[in-house]
Amino acid sequence: MKGNKIMRATETLISTLREVPADADIVSHQLLLRSGMLRKVAAGIYTILPLGHRVLLKIEAIIREEMNRAGGIELLMPIIQPAELWQQSGRWDVYGPELFRLKDRHERSFCLGPTHEELFTELVRQEIRSYRQLPLMLYQIQNKYRDERRPRFGLLRGREFIMKDLYSFDIDENGLDLSYRKMYAAYNRIFTRCGLDFRVVDADPGAIGGNDTHEFMVMADTGEAEIVFCSACDYAADVEKAPCPVESQTAPAALQPLQRVRTPGTHTVSEVAEYLGIPAEQVLKILMYVTDDEPVAVLVRGDRSLNEIKLKNYLHTNVLEIADEEDIAGRFGLPQGFAGPVGLGGRVRLLADNETKNLSNAVAGANEPDFHYRNVNYGRDYQVEDFADFRLAQEGDICPKCGQPLQLKRGIEIGQLFKLGTKYSKAMGANVLDESGREIAVVMGCYGIGVTRTLAAAVEQWHDQDGIIWPSSIAPYEAVIIPVGQHDSLQADLAEDLCRQLTDSGIDSIYDDRPERPGVKFKDADLIGYPVRIVINRDSATDGLVEIKWRASGAVERIPKDTAAAYLRHKLTTDDYPL
RNA sequence: CGGGGUGUAGCUCAGCUUGGCAGAGCGCACGGUUCGGGACCGUGAGGUCGAAGGUUCAAAUCCUUUCACCCCGACCA
């Protein structure tokens, strides 16, 4: 490839900020603003500037290649969707204020699509008649809109964002499984190629069938999701969804006689434990909740946290709020901080976490101020309606798959695979005729990647105090060329020549020809995060050497200018940059 | 939607308590000196102080209303 136009910094828009913009709080938001890749237009709505746009295009290109490789067919759907389709699926009413709604001049209702299940299902309903036309995997890369209550974290949670969404259409569950596996493999390839450190998480391991939905999470300390994962096997799960198997029980202790003790002013588990000189895990913690209809009390071990999602799923309730002091006194008739299961029978619905069943000679509130019971034992001293898994997983728990201890890390969700089944096809009548001429509902899956979110997540993961450290596969440019003396035409010519050589050999390069001092260009190069920086100085003209500095490692090498293109090409395509 | 906070020059912020000429640093323009990690000197441009109303001789400053934005929570990808 010869004769490519080379990119000069003076011919594009590079506007970096020295200071951290006041309304950016997390590092990806700050660095994307400072490096001149992003500007805010309104809360949760952004312009992606030329440098950021190049990153976006590279991520999209990787996604396209892998979707196409896996058999996906690209199309483009509108952002504006008619209300009727959403009414057919039933989601017009349930989606709530998060749906951007609008009306045209004829008072017809539309929305800005937060997702596209309806449109894809409608398309297949209209176009697909026979099982012979399946399987089919259709996808698009398109803007999505969600009127978030609180947009935040910059691109990580905007009101407008770009998503790749693919929908698979099969005649049966086996077909869906196959489509799902193809997407699973494709997602692994995509995020690996993007240079991200990610984990695949069982999003709903409790569901029958096991592998119904997976989330792809980028590991980053600033992530909004907490993930437990096994150090020994490949198990990983969202902490809120991770099941908590009960650890094997040591021989039960001999039951001691129930004993009422005075524990003045000990309202919390840690206060009680400290006062009585016992570990927190010997305390039975009781939590009171208000639900749709009746109040519910739940027991967990004193050193554990209750997982409200598990409780909510168990109760099938819409409302689930922890009872405040007023509720506890009023609805439950109990003293806050001194409630317990003993003698609670019949007064309130009582559930308990599995783990509490094996707790012998525990401490629990005596249901009167300033008193607890010692040696409380299930069966003898209290009954519960049911035992179930109600606790929140935590670091050090045992892996449900292999029994080894779990670790805890934070992550950012960038992709999700989901088996929809026939939910939408049945609601909207997307049927085909099978081999026997029978009409069957199409079996669907949906597979999303947050494209803009992936961009931000990459920055969250790859940065240092000087700026972004782009993986070379998604960097806005792979290399920047900086002549130390921009005014020296000899150096400038060398720089331009080198930029042309690199560009011609397929290395995405930019020549920083701005009339700035070298220090400014170095700072900007670090901030923008070009993987490779090439510096040309006065000596380069005579000795023919240029300096190469790698952004990730900081390593510096001096090599002959004319071998730079071949050398970099080799390094960038074979090394595991930047890991 | 509940709680908290902030709106003053392109950016970061001071000034507000106690009303009295609208400020600093950075950036920008021009001239000069510089030129391997955000140079220096000089000159200059740039603001309806978020908006509306009120109090006052006088409002960035006090009062009311409103809008925008940020943070925590709830919710969510």
Side-chain angles (χ1 to χ4, degrees), chain A residues 1-22:
Chain A
M1 296 214 298
K2 298 283 177 192
N4 289 301
K5 180 182 183 330
I6 67 165
M7 182 55 75
R8 294 179 181 80
T10 52
E11 291 173 351
T12 180
L13 176 63
I14 295 180
S15 52
T16 53
L17 304 173
R18 281 189 192 213
E19 306 197 62
V20 180

Side-chain angles (χ1 to χ4, degrees), chain A residues 75-199:
Chain A
L75 51 66
L76 189 62
M77 292 212 161
I79 288 163
I80 298 185
Q81 308 183 10
E84 291 85 63
L85 286 177
W86 284 73
Q87 285 155 355
Q88 278 178 36
S89 73
R91 290 209 292 183
W92 182 258
D93 295 320
V94 301
Y95 217 92
E98 214 171 78
L99 191 63
F100 269 110
R101 296 162 206 255
L102 65 155
K103 287 189 172 173
D104 70 8
R105 62 172 68 193
H106 307 297
E107 289 292 303
R108 285 163 49 151
S109 292
F110 293 84
C111 66
L112 302 183
T115 175
H116 281 73
E117 279 87 359
E118 280 79 1
L119 252 60
F120 274 89
T121 309
E122 168 70 5
L123 180 74
V124 165
R125 186 176 74 84
Q126 288 182 345
E127 309 298 331
I128 304 297
R129 289 281 126 79
S130 160
Y131 75 96
R132 292 172 186 272
Q133 293 168 284
L134 299 180
L136 187 61
M137 293 197 284
L138 298 173
Y139 78 98
Q140 63 170 346
I141 296 177
Q142 176 61 292
N143 285 6
K144 307 284 184 200
Y145 296 82
R146 290 186 195 173
D147 194 0
E148 288 284 334
R149 279 181 184 177
R150 177 147 98 88
R152 56 180 147 174
F153 305 143
L155 277 188
L156 285 176
R157 186 183 232 56
R159 291 193 289 176
E160 178 184 75
F161 53 98
I162 301 173
M163 250 182 106
K164 183 286 302 179
D165 49 334
L166 181 144
Y167 300 83
S168 67
F169 303 92
D170 287 280
I171 52 168
D172 56 23
E173 288 290 330
N174 288 338
L176 173 59
D177 285 344
L178 187 58
S179 297
Y180 193 94
R181 281 202 295 276
K182 285 180 181 169
M183 283 298 116
Y184 187 99
Y187 274 38
N188 272 298
R189 293 184 59 95
I190 287 167
F191 297 127
T192 300
R193 286 183 61 187
C194 287
L196 298 170
D197 175 21
F198 66 97
R199 285 237 167 205

Side-chain angles (χ1 to χ4, degrees), chain A residues 184 187-188 190-192 195-203 213-220 225-238 399 401-402 405-417 457 461:
Chain A
Y184 187 99
Y187 274 38
N188 272 298
I190 287 167
F191 297 127
T192 300
L196 298 170
D197 175 21
F198 66 97
R199 285 237 167 205
V200 189
V201 166
D202 286 352
T213 169
H214 288 91
E215 289 174 351
F216 283 72
M217 316 280 299
V218 166
M219 308 318 294
E226 284 190 298
I227 301 157
V228 285
F229 63 96
C230 182
S231 38
C233 72
D234 63 352
Y235 176 79
D238 188 312
C399 172
K401 221 167 168 177
C402 73
L406 294 175
Q407 289 181 277
L408 187 78
K409 271 195 183 180
R410 303 196 75 89
I412 300 165
E413 186 191 333
I414 50 174
Q416 181 161 26
L417 312 180
Q461 188 167 76

Side-chain angles (χ1 to χ4, degrees), chain A residues 178-419:
Chain A
L178 187 58
S179 297
Y180 193 94
R181 281 202 295 276
K182 285 180 181 169
M183 283 298 116
Y184 187 99
Y187 274 38
N188 272 298
R189 293 184 59 95
I190 287 167
F191 297 127
T192 300
R193 286 183 61 187
C194 287
L196 298 170
D197 175 21
F198 66 97
R199 285 237 167 205
V200 189
V201 166
D202 286 352
D204 190 10
I208 300 166
N211 298 327
D212 273 332
T213 169
H214 288 91
E215 289 174 351
F216 283 72
M217 316 280 299
V218 166
M219 308 318 294
D221 293 338
T222 45
E224 81 277 88
E226 284 190 298
I227 301 157
V228 285
F229 63 96
C230 182
S231 38
C233 72
D234 63 352
Y235 176 79
D238 188 312
V239 71
E240 293 188 325
K241 291 163 184 165
C244 301
V246 178
E247 298 182 36
S248 55
Q249 187 61 19
T250 49
L255 302 193
Q256 303 291 320
L258 191 65
Q259 186 186 356
R260 184 165 161 272
V261 292
R262 206 171 121 73
T263 53
T266 56
H267 292 269
T268 65
V269 168
S270 56
E271 285 166 359
V272 175
E274 192 180 331
Y275 185 86
L276 295 174
I278 54 160
E281 62 185 62
Q282 273 300 310
V283 180
L284 272 174
K285 179 157 68 180
I286 189 163
L287 296 157
M288 264 75 72
Y289 281 88
V290 177
T291 70
D292 286 349
D293 29 46
E294 55 189 340
V296 173
V298 189
L299 291 174
V300 293
R301 220 169 77 177
D303 58 332
R304 307 300 198 189
S305 299
L306 184 127
N307 183 331
E308 294 191 358
I309 291 174
K310 288 179 182 174
L311 179 59
K312 203 168 177 178
N313 289 341
Y314 178 92
L315 292 170
H316 301 292
T317 176
N318 290 317
V319 176
L320 183 72
E321 284 170 13
I322 187 121
D324 55 25
E325 202 167 346
E326 205 174 299
D327 284 322
I328 293 173
R331 298 186 197 221
F332 295 85
L334 297 169
Q336 192 183 30
F338 299 95
V342 181
L344 209 57
R347 287 166 70 179
V348 64
R349 209 176 152 190
L350 180 62
L351 298 167
D353 178 66
N354 288 329
E355 212 173 30
T356 63
K357 191 171 187 173
N358 299 326
L359 208 56
S360 44
N361 300 322
V363 166
N367 292 325
E368 64 178 300
D370 294 340
F371 283 94
H372 278 79
Y373 283 119
R374 293 189 97 130
N375 305 326
V376 174
N377 289 286
Y378 168 66
R380 184 190 71 183
D381 303 318
Y382 68 96
Q383 300 293 330
V384 303
E385 177 188 314
D386 194 10
F387 286 100
D389 177 7
F390 291 126
R391 62 170 271 245
L392 191 67
Q394 59 193 56
E395 181 141 28
D397 282 358
I398 56 165
C399 172
K401 221 167 168 177
C402 73
Q404 292 302 114
L406 294 175
Q407 289 181 277
L408 187 78
K409 271 195 183 180
R410 303 196 75 89
I412 300 165
E413 186 191 333
I414 50 174
Q416 181 161 26
L417 312 180
F418 206 78
K419 289 186 180 176

